mmCIF file of all heavy atoms in Angstrom:
data_model
loop_
_atom_site.group_PDB
_atom_site.id
_atom_site.type_symbol
_atom_site.label_atom_id
_atom_site.label_comp_id
_atom_site.label_asym_id
_atom_site.label_seq_id
_atom_site.Cartn_x
_atom_site.Cartn_y
_atom_site.Cartn_z
ATOM 1 N N VAL A 127 -53.762 -86.160 88.336
ATOM 2 C CA VAL A 127 -53.525 -86.904 89.573
ATOM 3 C C VAL A 127 -53.312 -85.958 90.758
ATOM 4 O O VAL A 127 -53.934 -86.140 91.808
ATOM 5 C CB VAL A 127 -52.341 -87.885 89.401
ATOM 6 C CG1 VAL A 127 -52.060 -88.634 90.705
ATOM 7 C CG2 VAL A 127 -52.636 -88.871 88.271
ATOM 8 N N LEU A 130 -56.551 -84.845 92.043
ATOM 9 C CA LEU A 130 -57.269 -85.868 92.812
ATOM 10 C C LEU A 130 -56.708 -85.955 94.229
ATOM 11 O O LEU A 130 -57.448 -86.103 95.207
ATOM 12 C CB LEU A 130 -57.174 -87.227 92.102
ATOM 13 C CG LEU A 130 -58.028 -88.338 92.712
ATOM 14 C CD1 LEU A 130 -59.506 -87.961 92.735
ATOM 15 C CD2 LEU A 130 -57.826 -89.648 91.960
ATOM 16 N N LEU A 148 -63.336 -89.208 86.468
ATOM 17 C CA LEU A 148 -62.049 -88.905 85.866
ATOM 18 C C LEU A 148 -62.271 -88.424 84.453
ATOM 19 O O LEU A 148 -62.918 -89.094 83.655
ATOM 20 C CB LEU A 148 -61.157 -90.146 85.808
ATOM 21 C CG LEU A 148 -60.604 -90.705 87.109
ATOM 22 C CD1 LEU A 148 -59.447 -91.638 86.797
ATOM 23 C CD2 LEU A 148 -60.172 -89.611 88.071
ATOM 24 N N ARG A 149 -61.742 -87.248 84.158
ATOM 25 C CA ARG A 149 -61.788 -86.795 82.776
ATOM 26 C C ARG A 149 -60.625 -87.438 82.047
ATOM 27 O O ARG A 149 -59.469 -87.157 82.341
ATOM 28 C CB ARG A 149 -61.672 -85.278 82.695
ATOM 29 C CG ARG A 149 -61.584 -84.803 81.246
ATOM 30 C CD ARG A 149 -61.814 -83.338 81.129
ATOM 31 N NE ARG A 149 -61.777 -82.895 79.744
ATOM 32 C CZ ARG A 149 -62.016 -81.656 79.369
ATOM 33 N NH1 ARG A 149 -62.312 -80.747 80.268
ATOM 34 N NH2 ARG A 149 -61.979 -81.315 78.097
ATOM 35 N N ILE A 150 -60.955 -88.320 81.137
ATOM 36 C CA ILE A 150 -59.874 -88.955 80.393
ATOM 37 C C ILE A 150 -59.680 -88.214 79.075
ATOM 38 O O ILE A 150 -60.615 -87.650 78.515
ATOM 39 C CB ILE A 150 -60.117 -90.459 80.163
ATOM 40 C CG1 ILE A 150 -61.452 -90.713 79.477
ATOM 41 C CG2 ILE A 150 -60.046 -91.224 81.479
ATOM 42 C CD1 ILE A 150 -61.633 -92.150 79.054
ATOM 43 N N ASN A 151 -58.455 -88.222 78.645
ATOM 44 C CA ASN A 151 -58.121 -87.620 77.353
ATOM 45 C C ASN A 151 -57.960 -88.771 76.365
ATOM 46 O O ASN A 151 -56.977 -89.488 76.399
ATOM 47 C CB ASN A 151 -56.826 -86.810 77.482
ATOM 48 C CG ASN A 151 -56.492 -86.077 76.202
ATOM 49 O OD1 ASN A 151 -56.730 -86.581 75.105
ATOM 50 N ND2 ASN A 151 -55.929 -84.895 76.343
ATOM 51 N N ILE A 173 -56.918 -86.757 81.638
ATOM 52 C CA ILE A 173 -55.837 -87.646 82.051
ATOM 53 C C ILE A 173 -55.658 -88.686 80.952
ATOM 54 O O ILE A 173 -56.639 -89.281 80.493
ATOM 55 C CB ILE A 173 -56.209 -88.344 83.387
ATOM 56 C CG1 ILE A 173 -56.492 -87.286 84.475
ATOM 57 C CG2 ILE A 173 -55.121 -89.311 83.823
ATOM 58 C CD1 ILE A 173 -57.037 -87.844 85.774
ATOM 59 N N ASP A 174 -54.410 -88.892 80.536
ATOM 60 C CA ASP A 174 -54.182 -89.874 79.468
ATOM 61 C C ASP A 174 -54.593 -91.263 79.956
ATOM 62 O O ASP A 174 -54.616 -91.542 81.160
ATOM 63 C CB ASP A 174 -52.719 -89.847 79.041
ATOM 64 C CG ASP A 174 -51.804 -90.249 80.176
ATOM 65 O OD1 ASP A 174 -51.485 -89.392 81.019
ATOM 66 O OD2 ASP A 174 -51.445 -91.446 80.250
ATOM 67 N N LEU A 175 -54.909 -92.133 79.015
ATOM 68 C CA LEU A 175 -55.525 -93.413 79.372
ATOM 69 C C LEU A 175 -54.626 -94.281 80.258
ATOM 70 O O LEU A 175 -55.112 -94.943 81.177
ATOM 71 C CB LEU A 175 -55.918 -94.166 78.097
ATOM 72 C CG LEU A 175 -57.087 -93.496 77.336
ATOM 73 C CD1 LEU A 175 -57.246 -94.091 75.950
ATOM 74 C CD2 LEU A 175 -58.387 -93.621 78.115
ATOM 75 N N ARG A 176 -53.320 -94.235 79.988
ATOM 76 C CA ARG A 176 -52.440 -95.088 80.802
ATOM 77 C C ARG A 176 -52.407 -94.630 82.246
ATOM 78 O O ARG A 176 -52.534 -95.435 83.173
ATOM 79 C CB ARG A 176 -51.030 -95.112 80.205
ATOM 80 C CG ARG A 176 -50.926 -96.190 79.119
ATOM 81 C CD ARG A 176 -49.576 -96.213 78.443
ATOM 82 N NE ARG A 176 -48.453 -96.345 79.361
ATOM 83 C CZ ARG A 176 -47.222 -95.920 79.053
ATOM 84 N NH1 ARG A 176 -46.983 -95.321 77.919
ATOM 85 N NH2 ARG A 176 -46.239 -96.089 79.913
ATOM 86 N N SER A 177 -52.266 -93.316 82.429
ATOM 87 C CA SER A 177 -52.262 -92.797 83.805
ATOM 88 C C SER A 177 -53.600 -93.068 84.479
ATOM 89 O O SER A 177 -53.651 -93.377 85.675
ATOM 90 C CB SER A 177 -51.994 -91.298 83.818
ATOM 91 O OG SER A 177 -50.846 -90.993 83.098
ATOM 92 N N ALA A 178 -54.672 -92.965 83.705
ATOM 93 C CA ALA A 178 -56.005 -93.174 84.285
ATOM 94 C C ALA A 178 -56.157 -94.613 84.770
ATOM 95 O O ALA A 178 -56.689 -94.873 85.851
ATOM 96 C CB ALA A 178 -57.080 -92.850 83.252
ATOM 97 N N ARG A 179 -55.678 -95.533 83.971
ATOM 98 C CA ARG A 179 -55.759 -96.944 84.357
ATOM 99 C C ARG A 179 -54.970 -97.186 85.648
ATOM 100 O O ARG A 179 -55.445 -97.835 86.587
ATOM 101 C CB ARG A 179 -55.212 -97.793 83.204
ATOM 102 C CG ARG A 179 -55.204 -99.288 83.443
ATOM 103 C CD ARG A 179 -56.382 -99.972 82.767
ATOM 104 N NE ARG A 179 -56.484 -101.380 83.122
ATOM 105 C CZ ARG A 179 -56.025 -102.376 82.376
ATOM 106 N NH1 ARG A 179 -55.416 -102.119 81.237
ATOM 107 N NH2 ARG A 179 -56.164 -103.631 82.774
ATOM 108 N N ARG A 180 -53.767 -96.612 85.684
ATOM 109 C CA ARG A 180 -52.916 -96.756 86.873
ATOM 110 C C ARG A 180 -53.601 -96.141 88.092
ATOM 111 O O ARG A 180 -53.601 -96.695 89.172
ATOM 112 C CB ARG A 180 -51.576 -96.053 86.622
ATOM 113 C CG ARG A 180 -50.397 -96.998 86.680
ATOM 114 C CD ARG A 180 -49.066 -96.278 86.498
ATOM 115 N NE ARG A 180 -48.845 -95.882 85.113
ATOM 116 C CZ ARG A 180 -48.479 -94.661 84.717
ATOM 117 N NH1 ARG A 180 -48.296 -93.692 85.594
ATOM 118 N NH2 ARG A 180 -48.301 -94.400 83.440
ATOM 119 N N LEU A 181 -54.223 -94.993 87.834
ATOM 120 C CA LEU A 181 -54.891 -94.292 88.923
ATOM 121 C C LEU A 181 -56.026 -95.127 89.508
ATOM 122 O O LEU A 181 -56.196 -95.220 90.720
ATOM 123 C CB LEU A 181 -55.427 -92.972 88.354
ATOM 124 C CG LEU A 181 -55.744 -91.873 89.336
ATOM 125 C CD1 LEU A 181 -55.685 -90.542 88.620
ATOM 126 C CD2 LEU A 181 -57.109 -92.066 89.933
ATOM 127 N N PHE A 182 -56.809 -95.750 88.623
ATOM 128 C CA PHE A 182 -57.899 -96.598 89.104
ATOM 129 C C PHE A 182 -57.355 -97.752 89.938
ATOM 130 O O PHE A 182 -57.913 -98.109 90.968
ATOM 131 C CB PHE A 182 -58.718 -97.132 87.928
ATOM 132 C CG PHE A 182 -59.874 -96.244 87.568
ATOM 133 C CD1 PHE A 182 -59.876 -95.509 86.385
ATOM 134 C CD2 PHE A 182 -60.974 -96.136 88.414
ATOM 135 C CE1 PHE A 182 -60.931 -94.688 86.059
ATOM 136 C CE2 PHE A 182 -62.041 -95.315 88.087
ATOM 137 C CZ PHE A 182 -62.021 -94.590 86.911
ATOM 138 N N LYS A 183 -56.246 -98.335 89.462
ATOM 139 C CA LYS A 183 -55.674 -99.483 90.182
ATOM 140 C C LYS A 183 -55.210 -99.081 91.584
ATOM 141 O O LYS A 183 -55.243 -99.877 92.507
ATOM 142 C CB LYS A 183 -54.485 -100.057 89.401
ATOM 143 C CG LYS A 183 -54.931 -100.960 88.263
ATOM 144 C CD LYS A 183 -53.752 -101.743 87.712
ATOM 145 C CE LYS A 183 -54.247 -102.785 86.715
ATOM 146 N NZ LYS A 183 -53.178 -103.176 85.780
ATOM 147 N N SER A 184 -54.776 -97.818 91.697
ATOM 148 C CA SER A 184 -54.245 -97.389 92.997
ATOM 149 C C SER A 184 -55.252 -96.518 93.737
ATOM 150 O O SER A 184 -54.893 -95.669 94.529
ATOM 151 C CB SER A 184 -52.948 -96.607 92.772
ATOM 152 O OG SER A 184 -53.238 -95.434 92.032
ATOM 153 N N ARG A 185 -56.532 -96.755 93.449
ATOM 154 C CA ARG A 185 -57.523 -95.828 94.006
ATOM 155 C C ARG A 185 -57.618 -95.891 95.525
ATOM 156 O O ARG A 185 -58.149 -94.985 96.164
ATOM 157 C CB ARG A 185 -58.893 -96.039 93.367
ATOM 158 C CG ARG A 185 -59.573 -97.343 93.700
ATOM 159 C CD ARG A 185 -60.741 -97.546 92.752
ATOM 160 N NE ARG A 185 -61.509 -98.740 93.066
ATOM 161 C CZ ARG A 185 -61.064 -99.968 92.870
ATOM 162 N NH1 ARG A 185 -59.837 -100.169 92.391
ATOM 163 N NH2 ARG A 185 -61.824 -101.000 93.177
ATOM 164 N N SER A 186 -57.075 -96.926 96.139
ATOM 165 C CA SER A 186 -57.095 -96.999 97.606
ATOM 166 C C SER A 186 -56.226 -95.903 98.217
ATOM 167 O O SER A 186 -56.333 -95.609 99.403
ATOM 168 C CB SER A 186 -56.611 -98.377 98.065
ATOM 169 O OG SER A 186 -55.325 -98.599 97.548
ATOM 170 N N ARG A 187 -55.401 -95.275 97.371
ATOM 171 C CA ARG A 187 -54.628 -94.118 97.841
ATOM 172 C C ARG A 187 -55.519 -92.906 98.099
ATOM 173 O O ARG A 187 -55.093 -91.912 98.662
ATOM 174 C CB ARG A 187 -53.605 -93.705 96.771
ATOM 175 C CG ARG A 187 -52.319 -94.494 96.793
ATOM 176 C CD ARG A 187 -51.437 -94.074 95.615
ATOM 177 N NE ARG A 187 -51.207 -92.637 95.552
ATOM 178 C CZ ARG A 187 -51.081 -91.947 94.411
ATOM 179 N NH1 ARG A 187 -51.188 -92.563 93.246
ATOM 180 N NH2 ARG A 187 -50.871 -90.647 94.430
ATOM 181 N N PHE A 188 -56.746 -92.986 97.615
ATOM 182 C CA PHE A 188 -57.665 -91.839 97.741
ATOM 183 C C PHE A 188 -58.933 -92.248 98.489
ATOM 184 O O PHE A 188 -60.021 -92.270 97.917
ATOM 185 C CB PHE A 188 -58.031 -91.299 96.349
ATOM 186 C CG PHE A 188 -56.845 -91.101 95.450
ATOM 187 C CD1 PHE A 188 -56.520 -92.043 94.479
ATOM 188 C CD2 PHE A 188 -56.034 -89.985 95.591
ATOM 189 C CE1 PHE A 188 -55.415 -91.863 93.659
ATOM 190 C CE2 PHE A 188 -54.923 -89.805 94.769
ATOM 191 C CZ PHE A 188 -54.606 -90.741 93.811
ATOM 192 N N ILE A 193 -64.594 -92.515 93.293
ATOM 193 C CA ILE A 193 -64.420 -92.329 91.846
ATOM 194 C C ILE A 193 -65.507 -93.156 91.175
ATOM 195 O O ILE A 193 -65.429 -94.380 91.133
ATOM 196 C CB ILE A 193 -63.036 -92.810 91.371
ATOM 197 C CG1 ILE A 193 -61.922 -92.199 92.237
ATOM 198 C CG2 ILE A 193 -62.831 -92.458 89.901
ATOM 199 C CD1 ILE A 193 -60.528 -92.700 91.899
ATOM 200 N N LEU A 196 -66.608 -91.638 84.493
ATOM 201 C CA LEU A 196 -65.633 -91.201 83.501
ATOM 202 C C LEU A 196 -66.212 -89.987 82.799
ATOM 203 O O LEU A 196 -67.429 -89.901 82.593
ATOM 204 C CB LEU A 196 -65.405 -92.275 82.433
ATOM 205 C CG LEU A 196 -64.515 -93.466 82.719
ATOM 206 C CD1 LEU A 196 -64.296 -94.229 81.418
ATOM 207 C CD2 LEU A 196 -63.183 -93.042 83.328
ATOM 208 N N LYS A 216 -62.984 -95.723 72.531
ATOM 209 C CA LYS A 216 -61.892 -95.754 73.510
ATOM 210 C C LYS A 216 -62.431 -95.866 74.929
ATOM 211 O O LYS A 216 -61.853 -96.548 75.770
ATOM 212 C CB LYS A 216 -61.028 -94.499 73.373
ATOM 213 C CG LYS A 216 -60.296 -94.423 72.055
ATOM 214 C CD LYS A 216 -58.885 -93.932 72.265
ATOM 215 C CE LYS A 216 -58.118 -93.978 70.952
ATOM 216 N NZ LYS A 216 -56.855 -93.223 71.044
ATOM 217 N N VAL A 217 -63.553 -95.173 75.169
ATOM 218 C CA VAL A 217 -64.167 -95.242 76.493
ATOM 219 C C VAL A 217 -64.591 -96.676 76.789
ATOM 220 O O VAL A 217 -64.346 -97.204 77.885
ATOM 221 C CB VAL A 217 -65.390 -94.297 76.574
ATOM 222 C CG1 VAL A 217 -66.256 -94.617 77.784
ATOM 223 C CG2 VAL A 217 -64.930 -92.851 76.615
ATOM 224 N N ILE A 218 -65.221 -97.302 75.803
ATOM 225 C CA ILE A 218 -65.739 -98.655 76.019
ATOM 226 C C ILE A 218 -64.591 -99.635 76.268
ATOM 227 O O ILE A 218 -64.650 -100.469 77.183
ATOM 228 C CB ILE A 218 -66.631 -99.073 74.834
ATOM 229 C CG1 ILE A 218 -67.954 -98.290 74.933
ATOM 230 C CG2 ILE A 218 -66.891 -100.573 74.823
ATOM 231 C CD1 ILE A 218 -68.806 -98.343 73.691
ATOM 232 N N GLU A 219 -63.527 -99.488 75.484
ATOM 233 C CA GLU A 219 -62.336 -100.322 75.712
ATOM 234 C C GLU A 219 -61.804 -100.123 77.135
ATOM 235 O O GLU A 219 -61.466 -101.073 77.819
ATOM 236 C CB GLU A 219 -61.233 -99.843 74.760
ATOM 237 C CG GLU A 219 -60.672 -100.886 73.829
ATOM 238 C CD GLU A 219 -59.758 -100.201 72.817
ATOM 239 O OE1 GLU A 219 -58.687 -99.695 73.247
ATOM 240 O OE2 GLU A 219 -60.142 -100.130 71.626
ATOM 241 N N PHE A 220 -61.782 -98.858 77.515
ATOM 242 C CA PHE A 220 -61.249 -98.528 78.835
ATOM 243 C C PHE A 220 -62.131 -99.132 79.942
ATOM 244 O O PHE A 220 -61.627 -99.690 80.912
ATOM 245 C CB PHE A 220 -61.170 -97.002 78.981
ATOM 246 C CG PHE A 220 -60.462 -96.548 80.216
ATOM 247 C CD1 PHE A 220 -59.084 -96.647 80.312
ATOM 248 C CD2 PHE A 220 -61.167 -96.023 81.292
ATOM 249 C CE1 PHE A 220 -58.416 -96.238 81.455
ATOM 250 C CE2 PHE A 220 -60.511 -95.607 82.436
ATOM 251 C CZ PHE A 220 -59.134 -95.714 82.517
ATOM 252 N N LEU A 221 -63.442 -99.048 79.737
ATOM 253 C CA LEU A 221 -64.365 -99.608 80.735
ATOM 254 C C LEU A 221 -64.180 -101.121 80.849
ATOM 255 O O LEU A 221 -64.245 -101.688 81.940
ATOM 256 C CB LEU A 221 -65.818 -99.286 80.361
ATOM 257 C CG LEU A 221 -66.252 -97.830 80.568
ATOM 258 C CD1 LEU A 221 -67.614 -97.585 79.936
ATOM 259 C CD2 LEU A 221 -66.280 -97.482 82.054
ATOM 260 N N GLN A 222 -63.926 -101.768 79.692
ATOM 261 C CA GLN A 222 -63.695 -103.222 79.714
ATOM 262 C C GLN A 222 -62.442 -103.546 80.512
ATOM 263 O O GLN A 222 -62.426 -104.489 81.313
ATOM 264 C CB GLN A 222 -63.591 -103.763 78.290
ATOM 265 C CG GLN A 222 -64.968 -103.969 77.675
ATOM 266 C CD GLN A 222 -64.922 -104.082 76.148
ATOM 267 O OE1 GLN A 222 -63.870 -103.856 75.529
ATOM 268 N NE2 GLN A 222 -66.050 -104.426 75.547
ATOM 269 N N ALA A 223 -61.425 -102.732 80.308
ATOM 270 C CA ALA A 223 -60.183 -102.936 81.065
ATOM 271 C C ALA A 223 -60.442 -102.775 82.566
ATOM 272 O O ALA A 223 -59.952 -103.553 83.384
ATOM 273 C CB ALA A 223 -59.128 -101.954 80.596
ATOM 274 N N LEU A 224 -61.253 -101.765 82.890
ATOM 275 C CA LEU A 224 -61.560 -101.540 84.310
ATOM 276 C C LEU A 224 -62.304 -102.724 84.886
ATOM 277 O O LEU A 224 -62.073 -103.142 86.025
ATOM 278 C CB LEU A 224 -62.425 -100.283 84.485
ATOM 279 C CG LEU A 224 -61.760 -98.925 84.267
ATOM 280 C CD1 LEU A 224 -62.726 -97.814 84.628
ATOM 281 C CD2 LEU A 224 -60.491 -98.789 85.089
ATOM 282 N N ARG A 225 -63.221 -103.274 84.082
ATOM 283 C CA ARG A 225 -63.987 -104.429 84.554
ATOM 284 C C ARG A 225 -63.068 -105.591 84.892
ATOM 285 O O ARG A 225 -63.278 -106.279 85.893
ATOM 286 C CB ARG A 225 -65.013 -104.842 83.499
ATOM 287 C CG ARG A 225 -66.397 -104.442 83.964
ATOM 288 C CD ARG A 225 -67.498 -104.697 82.992
ATOM 289 N NE ARG A 225 -68.307 -103.478 82.944
ATOM 290 C CZ ARG A 225 -68.842 -102.971 81.862
ATOM 291 N NH1 ARG A 225 -68.678 -103.563 80.696
ATOM 292 N NH2 ARG A 225 -69.546 -101.861 81.928
ATOM 293 N N LYS A 226 -62.061 -105.758 84.063
ATOM 294 C CA LYS A 226 -61.079 -106.825 84.353
ATOM 295 C C LYS A 226 -60.428 -106.595 85.704
ATOM 296 O O LYS A 226 -60.092 -107.534 86.410
ATOM 297 C CB LYS A 226 -60.000 -106.845 83.255
ATOM 298 C CG LYS A 226 -60.442 -107.606 82.021
ATOM 299 C CD LYS A 226 -59.228 -108.139 81.252
ATOM 300 C CE LYS A 226 -59.658 -108.465 79.833
ATOM 301 N NZ LYS A 226 -59.132 -107.464 78.879
ATOM 302 N N ASP A 227 -60.240 -105.325 86.029
ATOM 303 C CA ASP A 227 -59.648 -105.002 87.336
ATOM 304 C C ASP A 227 -60.719 -104.953 88.424
ATOM 305 O O ASP A 227 -60.470 -104.497 89.534
ATOM 306 C CB ASP A 227 -58.945 -103.637 87.279
ATOM 307 C CG ASP A 227 -57.831 -103.593 86.260
ATOM 308 O OD1 ASP A 227 -57.347 -104.670 85.875
ATOM 309 O OD2 ASP A 227 -57.460 -102.486 85.827
ATOM 310 N N ASN A 228 -61.938 -105.369 88.041
ATOM 311 C CA ASN A 228 -63.041 -105.416 89.003
ATOM 312 C C ASN A 228 -63.491 -104.043 89.497
ATOM 313 O O ASN A 228 -63.861 -103.875 90.652
ATOM 314 C CB ASN A 228 -62.660 -106.277 90.205
ATOM 315 C CG ASN A 228 -63.697 -107.363 90.388
ATOM 316 O OD1 ASN A 228 -64.839 -107.224 89.899
ATOM 317 N ND2 ASN A 228 -63.325 -108.429 91.062
ATOM 318 N N ILE A 229 -63.420 -103.068 88.579
ATOM 319 C CA ILE A 229 -63.849 -101.718 88.941
ATOM 320 C C ILE A 229 -65.121 -101.393 88.182
ATOM 321 O O ILE A 229 -65.163 -101.516 86.958
ATOM 322 C CB ILE A 229 -62.747 -100.690 88.593
ATOM 323 C CG1 ILE A 229 -61.514 -100.979 89.448
ATOM 324 C CG2 ILE A 229 -63.234 -99.262 88.803
ATOM 325 C CD1 ILE A 229 -60.276 -100.273 88.970
ATOM 326 N N LEU A 231 -68.258 -98.538 87.547
ATOM 327 C CA LEU A 231 -68.593 -97.120 87.686
ATOM 328 C C LEU A 231 -70.083 -96.910 87.521
ATOM 329 O O LEU A 231 -70.813 -97.809 87.096
ATOM 330 C CB LEU A 231 -67.846 -96.310 86.618
ATOM 331 C CG LEU A 231 -66.318 -96.424 86.630
ATOM 332 C CD1 LEU A 231 -65.739 -95.691 85.439
ATOM 333 C CD2 LEU A 231 -65.757 -95.872 87.923
#
Side-chain angles (χ1 to χ4, degrees):
V127 178
L130 187 58
L148 290 197
R149 175 166 182 177
I150 55 172
N151 184 324
I173 302 173
D174 63 278
L175 291 168
R176 274 177 54 204
S177 308
R179 179 100 187 262
R180 241 183 286 130
L181 200 156
F182 269 110
K183 280 192 172 157
S184 63
R185 68 193 184 289
S186 57
R187 277 175 53 214
F188 312 100
I193 309 176
L196 281 189
K216 294 222 175 167
V217 165
I218 287 167
E219 237 171 68
F220 188 74
L221 287 170
Q222 279 162 352
L224 288 186
R225 253 176 227 141
K226 278 205 199 107
D227 300 340
N228 235 339
I229 296 166
L231 302 174

